[in-house]
């Protein structure tokens, strides 16, 4: 049907009382879209007032309604509800929706017809209607596709052919117009703001204004957003005439900021020409852009900014955005020794924390840039976790005070999956940061690779569309346009608390780094780049032409900054050391002060506390009569209560006791991971669900004491990389919190490998940043196949930075000194009490260390894996080794074998030993804390049984599990006499190299005064054997043979292997 005739038809058929405006709105949509929503219900489709192209609009409404009923007008909501409930055609309809609140420039279609000429529908000519519909189509086309022909690329490479670019946007909407029509006036629909206070404009002016808005230096991508309110908000922000206006003083400030951004890179290029710095040349606008976001957000109430960024322009951001002292930056180039702890990192990875006055708003603000590794985008979830934690501890429940800003490179943004995973945290209740401002330095290249080779999406920013974030593409050579976009982004985040993306389309003036030759791979691009003037020059010329600044003023601003740089450079020359502590991104003021650095507080608690927590944890909610608990859960609660009354705990109860007692002491506990609320193995049940009322829940541990700390337990998205990164970030903010990430099964930790390798194991050494984060990794061979058996204990142990050949001195503070010196703690507890203590010890320590815990599966319900309250009360503590306590320990002279093991296999071993009647001949000791290795206790246990041979029994294959870690350490514990000071130990910590000097070089002269490193390396066997006494005791391996796969897929083979290993371990 012809559109005009359809309008007439609709107008005459519209249900009584239908405002014509709504009908017009129904028709103001383009062709059937690619909406993926199911078609509206049949009753709906049969509605008398819906037909032809109006159904497109209805479909859009319906799609939006399906996703969020509140996103459509109330009348649509009622209509769809009625229709989906099966109302007959005509009955579902109540009153029609409007597209937006009418505003002065919104004119209903009725206005198109002469006021006095009979019934309105009849008076409208088909041409009038057709033309207005086409105009409306044109407007909508620009809103949807205008960005695709915008002038975004300062290089002019990706600019569409000017001849047909308009038709790419408007398609055939212009076909019906002649040249003369351009000067006809049209009434503006309410879906546009281009008119300002004017209700009509000529078609020529309409197109001009639309092109000014959507096709110049800014490309706005937003029409995919489901919320009409949000779309209108954006239209208003960009379409309203004069929105881009800047006052002269704002332009001068912008020029000054650009001057600094440019000057900083130019100065470094001059002074350190052969150093890599990953300069910002080609995107100098980044600095004013970030400052604008910060200024605007500060004026809207934000006090703290947590930022993450890659290498590009990082030093410039540190200096010109965060105001990190220039001397600190310059000394990083000079190559000085480190004056404090840590192995350090390259300068373009370091973080910072600064508090300063925002001069534009005159408010104090905090700025943190989170340190990050080379691994692009890996810091995204860390930033989000840190931001969330700051919001949480400041009671900033809507994110009004703390804002995260994430910077990205174009290739990394589209290429790295962590970006997508992080976006998916953005709206989750326990993970949201209430909107992040993303800024992409889109220099249209990634190292040497062109975009057409590095992504399949049209824009590098398309990943952001999954969360309905608006995307503002902007030509980075138009500074004023960039500032406008930044203001809108800050306002958007402040208004809707949702993510937003600024895509700075720019170029990279140099190679990937300053010593790289870009002409090898991008000759044409770089030929063009070399002809381009820096943006600061272009902008200064523009402002001089406008009479906003004089040449003299431009020079003064440049010279002033040059002097600041030169003075700082001279000051840096007098420095003799660099300090890693100057680069801490998350300082913990007051945490370390006044503490004995080697004294932990006790971890045992009063029996009353155990009873109180235990009883609460075993009880239904206080409003039990209203809250229907599942029958199966009631049984679980009852059996918990029985355990409490018997003064015993199983794993879940032991964990609850640890959490509850910390909560009582004011320590926030946060447990996050997939399905953690119930627990993968259905053992935890921290959240009770009302069986009759949807979303009615009871968080048991949050209700233990009236004045307790908050308890957060949250099922996460199905991500390891992002969620672990997030929790790491969370743990960096407040040392007085126990932050725990649990993997569904331990082996899934390897999809978060980068967070483990680059942040957790080496973070303290590289960035002197501590974290007490706990990783709970279900681990154990239970015949469940290759993928649910191993948390890859061996990998964690291999990254543990303690030298297997160095026996630390057995001082009184041995245990805590070891913990202080190590990079992380790896344990596999076999009792609930020990689990209880090790969790509490995380907080009792005067420092923070990551804790990687292998956790049980079948032991959760094993009748022997229980602990008495006595093992958790005041006199008790964490046991690094649980020695044999049975008959063998009383008969130690006659014991033939000591089996050392860790974790669940202990229970298999004791059962088999009992069956074999060997309880007085074989001692079985459990190494609960594997790293740092309990040399003292292991040695003590071996010495206790002088006539026994020693076996390490493990269920993991020989090339896995703890064997390769414990074997050399047993040898050292048993046979090496050399005791080295802990000073050496401290230098073994952390990441691979010791800043300028390796650990090896550092300590070599001390360890081997007469040899050179090469001599000893070549002769290492001799030098080692010389320290070993003649009566060598060795530990033998009992377990599965080496294997490529962590476990068999066959239950039968599993049982056979287990039997074999038990026989092997116990055969005397
Ligand atoms: C995860 C990861 N893979 C590869 C690299 C190596 N790398 C460093 S920079 C770079 C190119 C990055 O391009 P882009 O994100 O566009 O940033 P740009 O350097 O252009 O600013 C690559 C591949 C890396 N650092 N991290
Ligand atoms: Mg790039």
């Amino acid at each position: 049907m012809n559109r005009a005739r359809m309008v007439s038809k609709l107008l005459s058929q519209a249900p009584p009382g239908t405002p014509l405006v709504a009908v017009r709105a129904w028709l103001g949509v383009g062709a059937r879209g690619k909406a993926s929503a199911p078609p509206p219900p049949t009753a709906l489709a049969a509605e008398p007032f819906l037909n032809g192209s109006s159904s497109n609009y209805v479909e859009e409404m319906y799609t939006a309604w399906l996703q969020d009923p509140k996103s459509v007008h109330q009348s649509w909501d009622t209509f769809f509800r009625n229709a989906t409930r099966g109302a007959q055609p005509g009955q579902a309809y109540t009153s029609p929706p409007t597209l937006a609140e009418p505003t002065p420039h919104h004119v209903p279609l009725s206005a198109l017809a002469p006021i006095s000429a009979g019934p309105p529908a009849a008076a409208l000519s088909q041409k009038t209607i057709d033309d207005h519909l086409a105009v409306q189509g044109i407007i909508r086309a620009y809103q949807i596709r205008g960005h695709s022909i915008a002038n975004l690329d300062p290089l002019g490479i990706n600019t569409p052919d000017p001849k047909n670019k308009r038709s790419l946007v408007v398609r055939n909407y212009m076909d019906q117009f002649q040249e003369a029509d351009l000067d006809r006036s049209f009434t503006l629909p309410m879906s546009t703001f281009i008119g300002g206070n004017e209700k009509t404009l000529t078609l020529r002016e309409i197109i001009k204004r639309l092109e000014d808005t959507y096709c110049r230096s800014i490309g706005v991508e937003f029409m995919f957003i489901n919320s009409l309110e949000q779309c209108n908000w954006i239209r208003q922000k960009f379409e309203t005439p004069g929105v881009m206006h800047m006052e002269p003083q704002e332009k001068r400030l912008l020029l000054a900021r650009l001057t600094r951004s440019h000057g900083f890179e130019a100065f470094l290029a001059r002074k350190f020409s052969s150093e890599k710095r990953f300069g910002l040349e080609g995107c100098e606008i980044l600095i004013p852009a970030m400052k604008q976001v910060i200024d605007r957000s500060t004026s809207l109430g934000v006090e703290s900014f947590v930022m993450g960024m890659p290498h590009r322009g990082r030093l410039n951001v540190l200096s010109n955005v965060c105001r990190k002292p220039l001397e600190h930056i310059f000394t990083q180039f000079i190559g000085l020794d480190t004056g404090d702890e840590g192995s350090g990192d390259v300068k373009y990875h370091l973080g910072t924390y600064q508090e300063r006055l925002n001069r534009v708003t005159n408010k104090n603000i905090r700025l943190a840039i989170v340190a990050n590794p080379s691994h692009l985008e890996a810091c995204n979830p860390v930033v989000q976790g840190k931001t969330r934690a700051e919001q949480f501890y400041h009671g900033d429940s809507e994110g009004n005070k703390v804002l995260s800003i994430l910077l990205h490179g174009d290739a990394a943004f589209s290429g790295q999956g962590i970006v997508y995973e992080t976006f998916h945290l953005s709206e989750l209740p326990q993970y949201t940061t209430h909107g992040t401002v993303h800024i992409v330095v889109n220099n249209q290249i990634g190292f040497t690779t062109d975009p057409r080779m590095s992504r399949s999406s049209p824009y590098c920013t398309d990943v952001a569309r999954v969360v309905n974030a608006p995307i503002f593409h902007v030509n980075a050579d138009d500074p004023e346009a960039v500032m406008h976009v930044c203001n809108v982004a800050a306002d958007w985040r402040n208004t809707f608390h949702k993510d937003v993306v600024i895509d700075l389309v720019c170029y990279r003036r140099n190679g990937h780094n300053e010593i790289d030759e870009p002409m090898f791979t991008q000759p044409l691009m770089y030929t063009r780049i070399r002809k381009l003037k820096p943006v600061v020059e272009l902008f200064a010329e523009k402002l001089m032409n406008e009479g906003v600044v004089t040449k003299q003023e431009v020079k003064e601003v440049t010279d002033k900054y040059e002097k600041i740089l030169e003075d700082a450079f001279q000051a840096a020359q007098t420095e003799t050391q660099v300090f890693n502590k100057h680069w801490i991104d998350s300082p913990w003021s007051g945490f370390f002060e006044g503490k004995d650095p080697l004294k932990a507080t006790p971890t045992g608690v009063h029996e009353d506390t155990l009873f109180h927590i235990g009883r609460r944890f075993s009880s239904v909610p206080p409003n039990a009569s209203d809250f229907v608990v599942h029958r199966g859960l009631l049984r679980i609660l009852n059996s918990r209560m029985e355990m409490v009354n018997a003064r015993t705990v199983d794993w879940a109860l032991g964990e609850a006791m640890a959490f509850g007692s910390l909560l009582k002491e004011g320590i926030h506990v946060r447990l996050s991971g997939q399905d953690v609320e119930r627990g993968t193995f259905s053992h935890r049940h921290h959240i009770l669900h009302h069986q009759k009322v949807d979303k009615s829940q009871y968080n048991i541990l949050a209700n233990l004491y009236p004045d307790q700390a908050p308890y957060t337990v949250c099922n996460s998205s199905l991500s390891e990389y992002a969620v672990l990164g997030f929790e790491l970030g969370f743990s960096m903010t407040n040392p007085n919190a126990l932050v725990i990430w649990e993997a569904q099964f331990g082996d899934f930790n390897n999809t978060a490998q980068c967070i483990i390798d680059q942040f957790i194991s080496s973070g303290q050494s590289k960035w002197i940043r501590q974290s007490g984060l706990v990783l709970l990794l279900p681990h154990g061979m239970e015949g469940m196949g290759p993928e649910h058996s191993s948390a890859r204990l061996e990998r964690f142990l291999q990254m543990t930075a303690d030298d297997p050949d160095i026996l630390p001195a057995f001082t009184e503070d041995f245990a805590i000194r070891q913990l202080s010196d190590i990079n992380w703690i790896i344990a596999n507890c076999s009792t609930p009490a020990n689990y209880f203590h090790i969790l509490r010890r995380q907080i009792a320590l005067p420092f923070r260390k990551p804790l990687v815990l292998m956790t049980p599966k079948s032991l959760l319900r094993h009748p022997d894996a229980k602990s008495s309250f006595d093992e958790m009360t005041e006199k008790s503590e964490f046991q690094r080794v649980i020695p044999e306590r049975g008959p063998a320990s009383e008969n130690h002279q006659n014991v033939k074998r000591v089996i050392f093991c860790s974790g669940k296999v202990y229970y298999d071993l004791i059962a088999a030993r009992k069956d074999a009647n060997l309880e007085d001949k074989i001692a079985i000791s459990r190494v609960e804390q594997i790293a740092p290795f309990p040399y003292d206790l292991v040695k003590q246990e071996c010495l206790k049984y002088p006539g026994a041979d020693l076996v390490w029994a493990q269920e993991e294959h020989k090339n896995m599990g703890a064997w390769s870690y414990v074997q050399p350490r047993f040898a050292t514990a048993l046979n090496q006499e050399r005791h080295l000071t802990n000073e050496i130990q401290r230098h073994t910590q952390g990441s691979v190299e010791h800043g300028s000097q390796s650990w090896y070089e550092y300590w070599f002269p001390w360890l081997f005064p007469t040899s050179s490193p090469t001599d000893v390396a070549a002769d290492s066997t001799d030098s080692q054997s010389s320290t070993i006494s003649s009566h060598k005791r060795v530990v033998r391996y009992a377990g599965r043979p080496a294997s490529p796969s962590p476990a068999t897929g066959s239950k039968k083979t599993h049982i056979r292997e287990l039997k074999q290993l038990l026989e092997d371990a116990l055969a005397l």
Side-chain angles (χ1 to χ4, degrees), residues 154 254-266 277 279-291 312-313 316-317 320-321 441 443 476-477 479 482-483 504-510 532-538:
L254 173 53
L255 179 62
R257 287 175 167 177
L258 258 183
T259 306
R260 283 183 171 234
S261 177
H262 177 90
F264 180 86
E265 300 296 351
R277 68 189 145 82
L280 202 48
E281 292 96 329
C283 194
E284 290 92 338
I285 197 64
L286 176 69
I287 301 299
M290 290 179 76
K291 288 174 89 82
R312 181 80 50 218
N316 207 331
V317 171
N320 280 320
V321 176
V441 173
N443 53 21
D477 268 4
V482 174
M483 292 309 108
L504 296 175
V505 187
C506 56
Y507 58 91
R508 190 188 71 193
R509 185 169 288 277
N510 300 315
L532 290 182
K533 280 188 186 174
V535 64
V536 68
E537 284 179 32
L538 297 174

Side-chain angles (χ1 to χ4, degrees), residues 278 310-312 373-377 408-413 416 441-448 508 512 721:
F278 296 103
H311 49 286
R312 181 80 50 218
S374 185
H375 293 54
L376 292 166
E377 308 288 347
H408 314 271
D410 53 323
F413 198 47
Q416 290 292 306
V441 173
N442 179 0
N443 53 21
Q444 312 183 68
I445 191 164
F447 208 147
T448 65
R508 190 188 71 193
H512 175 58
Y721 191 175

